[in-house]
Amino acid sequence: MHPLLQTRRHFFKKSATGIGIAALSSLLNGEDQKEVHPKLPGLPHFAAKAKNVILLFQHGAPSQLDLFDWKPGLQARRGENLPDSIRRGQRLTGMSAFQESFPTAPTVFKFAQHGQSRAWFSELVPHMAKQADDLCFIKSLNTEAINHDPAVTFCQTGFQLAGRPSFGAWVSYGLGSENQNLPAYVVMVSQGGGNTQALADRAFGSGFLPTKYSGVKFRGGADPVLYLSDPDGYSRDARRRYLDDLAKLNEIQLENYQDPEIATRISQYEMAFRMQSSVPELSDLSKEPESTFELYGPDARKPGSYAANCILARRLVERGVRFVQLFHRGWDQHSNLPKEIRGQCKETDQPSAALVEDLKQRATLLHSLGVDHSKLTFKFQGRHYRLTDVKGHVVKPLLS
Amino acid sequence: MIRALLTFHLFAAFLSAARPVEFNRDVRPILSDKCLACHGADAKNKNIPLRLDVEAQAKADLGGRRAIVAGSPETSELIQRINTDSKARKMPPVFTGHSLTDAERKILTQWVAEGAKWQKHWSFITPERPALPVVSNPRWARNEIDHFILERLDREQLKPSAEATKDRLIRRVTLDLTGLPPTPKEVDEFIADKSPDAYGKVVNRLLANPRFGERMAMRWLDNARYADSNGYQYDGERIMWRWRDYVIESFNKNKPFDQFVVEQIAGDLIPNATVEQKMGTGFQRNHRANTELGIVAEEYNVEYVIDRVETNSAVFLGLTFGCARCHNHKYDPLTQKEMYQFYAYFNNVPEQGRAMKYGNSPPMISTPTREQQAQLTHLVHSINQTRSAIKVNAAQMKAWQASIPSDSIDYWHPSLDLKRKLSLENPDETRANGGRVEFVPGRIGKAVALNGTAYLDAGFNAANFDMEDRFTIALWAQSKKTPDGTLFSRMNDKPRGRGFALEARAGYIHVHFTSDYDDDAIRMTSKLPVLKPELWQHITLAYTGSRMAEGVHVYVDGKPIEFKVDLDNLYRPLNNGGKEFPEPLRIGSGGGPDRRFAGNIDEILIWSMTLPQDDIALLAQGQTLKQSDPQSRQIREAYLEAAAPQAQKQLWAKFIQLEQQREAFERSFPTVMIMAENPQRRDTHILIRGEYNKPGEKVEPGLPSFLPPMPPNTPNDRLGLAQWLVARDNPLTARVNINRVWQLLFGTGLVKTTEDFGSQGEYPSHPELLDWLATEFMDSKWDLKHMVRLIVTSAAYRQDSRTTPELLQKDPENRLLAHGPRLRLPAESIRDQALAAAGLLNEKLGGPSVKPYQPAGLWEEQSMQNMDYKQDHGADLYRRSLYMYWKRTIAPPMMTNFDASTRESCTVRESRTNTPLQALNLMNDVTFLEAGRQIGRRMLTEGGATDESRISYGTKLLLAREPSAKELAILKSSLNYHRDYFATNPGRIDTYLSKGESPQAPQLKASEQAAYMALASLMLNLDETVTKD
């Protein structure tokens, strides 16, 4: 598994893209490392080296040609028809089939090299450019899918049709949670100013795995997790007392029926209660020092913004959440690209770079999840499915 | 893996008892799971010479070595290779990640030693009715099922549990058969009924309850991946609820299941198929459909057919045919070619890969509900009565025609839904634009003469139609040269404009319906140059609102014109976005200044309906009333409209009004997408690597060779396929379907892998019982209610559901059924039960899907164009959960929290998890808080005068029982706590009570109500409440 996901967008191909920073970090110092997830039969146990993943998914397919993929040769060929040597008979869609010509459109943005790696960055991403030496680009990733929905499904589940578990669901299934008070797989969605594409639940769904491995959506606003807040007029003390009585009644039932599901339910209510405190505590950025907001930029104070979600991502992994996934919408640029992409970059460049910087300051970046893929399987429809049931090559230098 | 552990657990007894190894039960699962991925049907493609899925090849001499030598483990290569320490020789190879356990190696060795006897895979052998086994305690058995259950328990030296108490039993069976809890009255009556068949009476009552059909439909909707939206990117609405209601009705009237299966697959092909039978095939159209502009339609055509293959093979055969899309099946004896032969049955639908963005995609039919059908019959009756009441006095009529002055230009036109007769000379209706126009003698009265630059603008109200409207526009035209230019349009006045137009091009007629010129339009050209110079010709465009070229009709001089379809791809409204169309009706213009018409135009008539051909033919005669045949229809109708005695005129007006009413009414009928066949069969090819654009060998429809052939005299089409599925010798359909009924009642199927009866599936826990049930199902003429009755009246089902630590250790999943089922309720029932106990449940059966409470913003934050969720109000908030609007990409959160399937693809296995999100959902979702408020109200108003009696009433509503003394004490203490809480915090009472839109109960003391509401909320959160025990 490669922690950095970046897909390449081909000419006239539309694919939702994970450009991204995924930081794998060991940030659990001082956290309770006790295993709470009941060990799955037949699965290896990985509690010793707890790791986390943050995946920043730029939803709608950012144009890599305007961000990181410098194509100097294109500049001289502006307006030229796309040569057959590039198109190679690629199929046309309903969207392009009637187009009379396929003119080449090089980027209008300035590119420069940065850091010791001399990686290319466009002027749209000045903050990312400063992290040049802590980023790794994989420019070979691509999907067969030419439309948003199947392409996102492919990026998130390894298969372009619905039905398979998402990346985070697999990790959640395989590694469980390290925190008794928070879910193992957290998803946050922010809205960009650009043209948006739909985001289906399946992008963070559990597919054929049990639904409890689905991503839990954290949302900006009063109820960061669905149904988290107690009803108005009901205090925490009252809820505590309520749960005590509920537990007593459920215990009578447990004694009578001996069904372990009852014991599980009692403990799930306790976790729910803890989430009711831990999630608001986590979402409350008011205790973050001023320097955090300087680092992540002006949007960071707006709940639900990409910048605020980046801070939350760091706070989540600090608390041992296995897999944190951000989706930022609004990257579906067509003819309006020169204008819209500026806005999208403004929303994401500084916070993304800040997250890398922040994690660097706080922990060592590690590069392995330590998962034995051949053993992390789930049998469905007679097949042993794996997280890594995806065509392609593992970029080993990246993992070592 | 979980399954493997369980398998060994279950079968440990067989081995310890030193019974001979049985291939199907003991050996095949090992070979399949550990070996066949390489040594299976796909081995050849991997250049592996040894196959272990075919006996002859497994035992064949492969150059001096044989994998299996019957009776001789020592010389069997397979046995050597699984036991070797050599890493290079070890099987399975390390890289596969598979390894054999000691027990598995022992089984294989023992099997070879005992003669390596092979068996055909158990589920591919037609079931035969087994004899009832001998059991330790025949008196325990209430019916045949119990003999099989008890025999198995005997072997494991386990005893069945006692029968559950009556209150447990009625709650269990009521929840199972209706998805709702029993009412306190029903519980009391059952407990009071001491007759020996008291329970049987309850079961019969429940089977006759229409709620039964809803309960069965819940899971059928999962199988059928039913939803109210298309899925994929835009995920717009579709209308399939008539199919859903048809399913409910089919279960309720206990339609023989074989007939139901045939309708699901091929109802449209049944000779003289009824609307209901055709509607059944909605099953095949419930798959996701992509409406995105930038797709390759052919790619999705393939995906839809593959989806049908996967769904039909899973639901009816319990097999995973989809696995053979790219290669031969790795485990089952299904070749890739056979997969595509099966595919061919579903590959002949006149469908388009790109689906309609709004509403249903063809093929579809109008499916009036029973109510609508009754209303229609009534309306038709009125129409017939009115028509026959109209009596015309022939002499008077003749006199009237004679009285028409000879210079009159009045003539007949159909008055039905005539929207406009456009006056060309009235400046309020039309005004010249782009220059001056003249008026000259025309075909009938005066015509407008256009010079090729000027045109008439008829404003925004004329012909204001969009792609789903029916309309007809007729006119007369004449031109000195061969007609050229746009005759009329509602379209941008520029090239490639948006809108509709009828255009002449050097005598040919072009019709445009354009949302986007390149790829979202209908464009047609007449096959011949039908417009001639000098002649006055009558031209009519009649459109059915079908959004398809087949719904566009053009007539010249009353005769239909043949067209070549250039593009048939209209998906979005002409003015995408639903706003008022910004272009007026233009006469002689549309498509830009170059396309102005030069010539004369006369008598423009506009109808908001599709005129039939005979009306158009009459119009095209262009005779004035004076000239018309006195016996003709036009004279009679014109007379009735204009000159008949008042009473006759009124009847005629009524007749016209009723006809229009019928037209509008018929158009309001819901539609359902169904199956149909192309007149010319579409070719099916093997798709190399499963890719839509890599066709290989052409194949014909056909069945896999490992299953029985088609019954004689069966057509080789979808109908034949359906009949084959329900034929007596089909080994799978009955087993697979009764297994899912078992799963619904016991939580786990007799074959746990309900989705896979192939070699990777689990061997049944009770193989003989499964065969007995399957044969009973078929012998009973597929009587589903009979089967359900048999199961729920068995002693096995009626057992107490309490377990013990010992039993848990031995059989944690209760597969052996030493006690009754205890399972968390399905998502739908959790909500429905709360609504029922609260007295809120709206028991309306069927109808369009509804949108109950849902946290704000869920759709907006993920959907295209910020589609928002418009919550319903009033009684629609309390419909049963299976009527909830199901948006595929963003499903109702309460449903997914409680493990509902996503409806993205076919789901046959039930799933149950236990999470903190469920706890939060039950504690804080307005649905459950409101139910708590109403249950609290019921406790106060219906539960007697004391706290004790009220609490008891509450547990009766939700648990169908009285609380124990200990429970009562806890509940009372909680009630008192909440009394104190609200007494100390009076300001919180009203906010707490404000949950939900159902009426408040101001007559009750608010603080008491709040305390009872909190108590009811607690009761709704009990493990027992969300569990059937």
CSV table of all heavy atoms in Angstrom, one decimal, chain A residues 71-100:
chain,number,residue,atom,x,y,z
A,71,LYS,N,4.6,20.3,-18.0
A,71,LYS,CA,4.8,19.8,-19.4
A,71,LYS,C,5.3,20.9,-20.3
A,71,LYS,O,4.5,21.6,-21.0
A,71,LYS,CB,3.5,19.3,-19.9
A,71,LYS,CG,2.8,18.2,-19.2
A,71,LYS,CD,3.5,16.9,-19.5
A,71,LYS,CE,2.8,15.7,-18.9
A,71,LYS,NZ,3.7,14.6,-18.5
A,72,PRO,N,6.6,21.2,-20.2
A,72,PRO,CA,7.2,22.3,-21.0
A,72,PRO,C,6.9,22.2,-22.5
A,72,PRO,O,6.7,23.2,-23.2
A,72,PRO,CB,8.7,22.3,-20.7
A,72,PRO,CG,8.9,20.9,-20.1
A,72,PRO,CD,7.7,20.4,-19.5
A,73,GLY,N,6.9,21.0,-23.0
A,73,GLY,CA,6.8,20.8,-24.4
A,73,GLY,C,5.4,21.3,-24.9
A,73,GLY,O,5.3,21.6,-26.1
A,74,LEU,N,4.5,21.3,-24.1
A,74,LEU,CA,3.1,21.6,-24.5
A,74,LEU,C,3.0,23.1,-24.9
A,74,LEU,O,2.2,23.4,-25.7
A,74,LEU,CB,2.1,21.4,-23.4
A,74,LEU,CG,1.5,20.0,-23.2
A,74,LEU,CD1,0.5,20.0,-22.1
A,74,LEU,CD2,0.9,19.5,-24.5
A,75,GLN,N,3.8,23.9,-24.2
A,75,GLN,CA,3.6,25.3,-24.4
A,75,GLN,C,3.7,25.8,-25.9
A,75,GLN,O,2.9,26.6,-26.3
A,75,GLN,CB,4.7,26.1,-23.6
A,75,GLN,CG,4.5,26.0,-22.1
A,75,GLN,CD,3.2,26.6,-21.5
A,75,GLN,OE1,2.6,27.5,-22.2
A,75,GLN,NE2,2.7,26.1,-20.4
A,76,ALA,N,4.7,25.2,-26.6
A,76,ALA,CA,4.9,25.6,-28.0
A,76,ALA,C,3.8,25.0,-28.9
A,76,ALA,O,3.6,25.4,-30.0
A,76,ALA,CB,6.2,25.0,-28.4
A,77,ARG,N,3.0,24.1,-28.3
A,77,ARG,CA,2.0,23.4,-29.2
A,77,ARG,C,0.6,23.9,-28.9
A,77,ARG,O,-0.4,23.1,-29.3
A,77,ARG,CB,2.2,21.9,-29.1
A,77,ARG,CG,3.6,21.5,-29.3
A,77,ARG,CD,3.8,20.0,-29.2
A,77,ARG,NE,3.3,19.4,-30.5
A,77,ARG,CZ,3.7,18.2,-30.9
A,77,ARG,NH1,4.5,17.5,-30.1
A,77,ARG,NH2,3.2,17.7,-32.0
A,78,ARG,N,0.4,25.0,-28.2
A,78,ARG,CA,-0.9,25.5,-27.9
A,78,ARG,C,-1.8,25.5,-29.1
A,78,ARG,O,-1.4,26.0,-30.1
A,78,ARG,CB,-0.7,26.9,-27.3
A,78,ARG,CG,-2.1,27.5,-26.9
A,78,ARG,CD,-1.9,28.9,-26.4
A,78,ARG,NE,-0.9,29.0,-25.3
A,78,ARG,CZ,-1.3,28.8,-24.0
A,78,ARG,NH1,-2.6,28.6,-23.7
A,78,ARG,NH2,-0.4,28.9,-23.0
A,79,GLY,N,-3.0,25.0,-28.9
A,79,GLY,CA,-4.0,25.0,-30.0
A,79,GLY,C,-3.8,23.9,-31.1
A,79,GLY,O,-4.7,23.7,-31.9
A,80,GLU,N,-2.7,23.3,-31.1
A,80,GLU,CA,-2.5,22.2,-32.0
A,80,GLU,C,-3.5,21.1,-31.7
A,80,GLU,O,-3.8,20.8,-30.6
A,80,GLU,CB,-1.1,21.6,-31.9
A,80,GLU,CG,-0.2,21.8,-33.1
A,80,GLU,CD,1.2,21.3,-32.7
A,80,GLU,OE1,1.3,20.1,-32.5
A,80,GLU,OE2,2.1,22.1,-32.6
A,81,ASN,N,-3.9,20.4,-32.8
A,81,ASN,CA,-4.8,19.3,-32.5
A,81,ASN,C,-4.0,18.1,-31.9
A,81,ASN,O,-2.9,17.9,-32.2
A,81,ASN,CB,-5.4,18.8,-33.9
A,81,ASN,CG,-6.8,18.4,-33.7
A,81,ASN,OD1,-7.5,18.9,-32.8
A,81,ASN,ND2,-7.3,17.5,-34.5
A,82,LEU,N,-4.7,17.5,-30.9
A,82,LEU,CA,-4.1,16.4,-30.2
A,82,LEU,C,-3.6,15.3,-31.2
A,82,LEU,O,-4.4,14.8,-31.9
A,82,LEU,CB,-5.1,15.8,-29.2
A,82,LEU,CG,-4.6,14.7,-28.3
A,82,LEU,CD1,-3.7,15.4,-27.2
A,82,LEU,CD2,-5.8,14.1,-27.6
A,83,PRO,N,-2.3,15.0,-31.2
A,83,PRO,CA,-1.8,14.1,-32.2
A,83,PRO,C,-2.3,12.6,-31.9
A,83,PRO,O,-2.5,12.3,-30.7
A,83,PRO,CB,-0.3,14.2,-32.1
A,83,PRO,CG,0.0,14.8,-30.8
A,83,PRO,CD,-1.2,15.6,-30.4
A,84,ASP,N,-2.4,11.8,-32.9
A,84,ASP,CA,-2.8,10.5,-32.7
A,84,ASP,C,-1.9,9.7,-31.8
A,84,ASP,O,-2.2,8.7,-31.2
A,84,ASP,CB,-3.0,9.7,-34.1
A,84,ASP,CG,-4.2,10.3,-34.8
A,84,ASP,OD1,-5.1,10.9,-34.1
A,84,ASP,OD2,-4.3,10.1,-36.0
A,85,SER,N,-0.6,10.1,-31.8
A,85,SER,CA,0.4,9.4,-31.0
A,85,SER,C,0.0,9.5,-29.5
A,85,SER,O,0.4,8.7,-28.7
A,85,SER,CB,1.8,9.9,-31.3
A,85,SER,OG,1.8,11.3,-30.9
A,86,ILE,N,-0.7,10.5,-29.2
A,86,ILE,CA,-1.1,10.7,-27.8
A,86,ILE,C,-2.5,10.0,-27.6
A,86,ILE,O,-2.7,9.3,-26.6
A,86,ILE,CB,-1.2,12.2,-27.4
A,86,ILE,CG1,0.2,12.8,-27.5
A,86,ILE,CG2,-1.7,12.3,-26.0
A,86,ILE,CD1,1.2,12.4,-26.6
A,87,ARG,N,-3.4,10.4,-28.5
A,87,ARG,CA,-4.7,9.9,-28.3
A,87,ARG,C,-4.8,8.4,-28.5
A,87,ARG,O,-5.6,7.7,-27.8
A,87,ARG,CB,-5.7,10.6,-29.2
A,87,ARG,CG,-7.1,10.4,-28.8
A,87,ARG,CD,-8.1,11.1,-29.7
A,87,ARG,NE,-9.2,10.1,-29.9
A,87,ARG,CZ,-10.1,10.2,-30.9
A,87,ARG,NH1,-10.0,11.2,-31.8
A,87,ARG,NH2,-11.0,9.3,-31.0
A,88,ARG,N,-4.1,7.9,-29.4
A,88,ARG,CA,-4.1,6.5,-29.7
A,88,ARG,C,-5.5,5.8,-29.7
A,88,ARG,O,-5.8,4.8,-29.1
A,88,ARG,CB,-3.2,5.7,-28.7
A,88,ARG,CG,-1.7,5.9,-29.1
A,88,ARG,CD,-0.8,5.1,-28.2
A,88,ARG,NE,-0.4,5.7,-27.0
A,88,ARG,CZ,0.3,5.2,-26.1
A,88,ARG,NH1,0.8,4.0,-26.2
A,88,ARG,NH2,0.7,5.9,-25.0
A,89,GLY,N,-6.3,6.5,-30.5
A,89,GLY,CA,-7.7,5.9,-30.7
A,89,GLY,C,-8.5,5.8,-29.4
A,89,GLY,O,-9.5,5.1,-29.4
A,90,GLN,N,-8.2,6.6,-28.4
A,90,GLN,CA,-9.0,6.6,-27.2
A,90,GLN,C,-10.4,6.9,-27.5
A,90,GLN,O,-10.8,7.8,-28.3
A,90,GLN,CB,-8.4,7.6,-26.2
A,90,GLN,CG,-9.0,7.5,-24.8
A,90,GLN,CD,-8.5,8.6,-23.9
A,90,GLN,OE1,-8.0,9.6,-24.3
A,90,GLN,NE2,-8.6,8.3,-22.6
A,91,ARG,N,-11.3,6.2,-26.8
A,91,ARG,CA,-12.7,6.3,-27.1
A,91,ARG,C,-13.2,7.7,-26.8
A,91,ARG,O,-12.7,8.4,-25.8
A,91,ARG,CB,-13.5,5.3,-26.3
A,91,ARG,CG,-13.2,5.4,-24.8
A,91,ARG,CD,-13.8,4.2,-24.0
A,91,ARG,NE,-13.1,4.0,-22.8
A,91,ARG,CZ,-13.6,3.5,-21.7
A,91,ARG,NH1,-14.8,3.1,-21.7
A,91,ARG,NH2,-12.9,3.4,-20.6
A,92,LEU,N,-14.2,8.1,-27.5
A,92,LEU,CA,-14.8,9.4,-27.2
A,92,LEU,C,-16.1,9.2,-26.5
A,92,LEU,O,-16.8,8.2,-26.7
A,92,LEU,CB,-15.1,10.2,-28.5
A,92,LEU,CG,-13.8,10.5,-29.3
A,92,LEU,CD1,-14.2,11.1,-30.6
A,92,LEU,CD2,-13.0,11.5,-28.5
A,93,THR,N,-16.5,10.1,-25.7
A,93,THR,CA,-17.7,9.9,-24.9
A,93,THR,C,-18.8,10.8,-25.5
A,93,THR,O,-18.6,11.6,-26.4
A,93,THR,CB,-17.5,10.4,-23.4
A,93,THR,OG1,-17.4,11.8,-23.5
A,93,THR,CG2,-16.2,9.8,-22.9
A,94,GLY,N,-20.0,10.7,-24.9
A,94,GLY,CA,-21.1,11.6,-25.3
A,94,GLY,C,-20.7,13.0,-25.2
A,94,GLY,O,-21.2,13.9,-26.0
A,95,MET,N,-19.7,13.3,-24.4
A,95,MET,CA,-19.3,14.7,-24.1
A,95,MET,C,-18.4,15.2,-25.2
A,95,MET,O,-18.3,16.4,-25.5
A,95,MET,CB,-18.6,14.8,-22.8
A,95,MET,CG,-19.0,16.0,-22.0
A,95,MET,SD,-18.5,15.7,-20.3
A,95,MET,CE,-19.2,17.1,-19.5
A,96,SER,N,-17.6,14.3,-25.8
A,96,SER,CA,-16.6,14.7,-26.7
A,96,SER,C,-16.8,14.2,-28.1
A,96,SER,O,-16.1,14.6,-29.0
A,96,SER,CB,-15.2,14.3,-26.2
A,96,SER,OG,-15.2,12.9,-25.9
A,97,ALA,N,-17.8,13.3,-28.3
A,97,ALA,CA,-17.9,12.7,-29.6
A,97,ALA,C,-18.2,13.6,-30.7
A,97,ALA,O,-17.8,13.4,-31.9
A,97,ALA,CB,-19.0,11.6,-29.5
A,98,PHE,N,-18.8,14.8,-30.4
A,98,PHE,CA,-19.2,15.7,-31.5
A,98,PHE,C,-18.2,16.9,-31.6
A,98,PHE,O,-18.5,17.8,-32.4
A,98,PHE,CB,-20.6,16.1,-31.3
A,98,PHE,CG,-21.6,15.0,-31.3
A,98,PHE,CD1,-22.0,14.4,-30.2
A,98,PHE,CD2,-22.2,14.6,-32.5
A,98,PHE,CE1,-22.9,13.3,-30.2
A,98,PHE,CE2,-23.1,13.5,-32.6
A,98,PHE,CZ,-23.4,12.9,-31.4
A,99,GLN,N,-17.2,16.8,-30.8
A,99,GLN,CA,-16.2,17.9,-30.8
A,99,GLN,C,-15.5,17.9,-32.2
A,99,GLN,O,-15.1,16.8,-32.6
A,99,GLN,CB,-15.2,17.7,-29.7
A,99,GLN,CG,-14.8,18.9,-29.0
A,99,GLN,CD,-14.1,18.6,-27.7
A,99,GLN,OE1,-14.7,18.0,-26.8
A,99,GLN,NE2,-12.8,18.9,-27.6
A,100,GLU,N,-15.4,19.0,-32.8
A,100,GLU,CA,-14.8,19.1,-34.1
A,100,GLU,C,-13.3,18.9,-34.1
A,100,GLU,O,-12.6,18.4,-35.0
A,100,GLU,CB,-15.2,20.3,-34.9
A,100,GLU,CG,-16.6,20.2,-35.5
A,100,GLU,CD,-17.3,21.5,-35.7
A,100,GLU,OE1,-16.6,22.6,-35.7
A,100,GLU,OE2,-18.5,21.5,-36.0
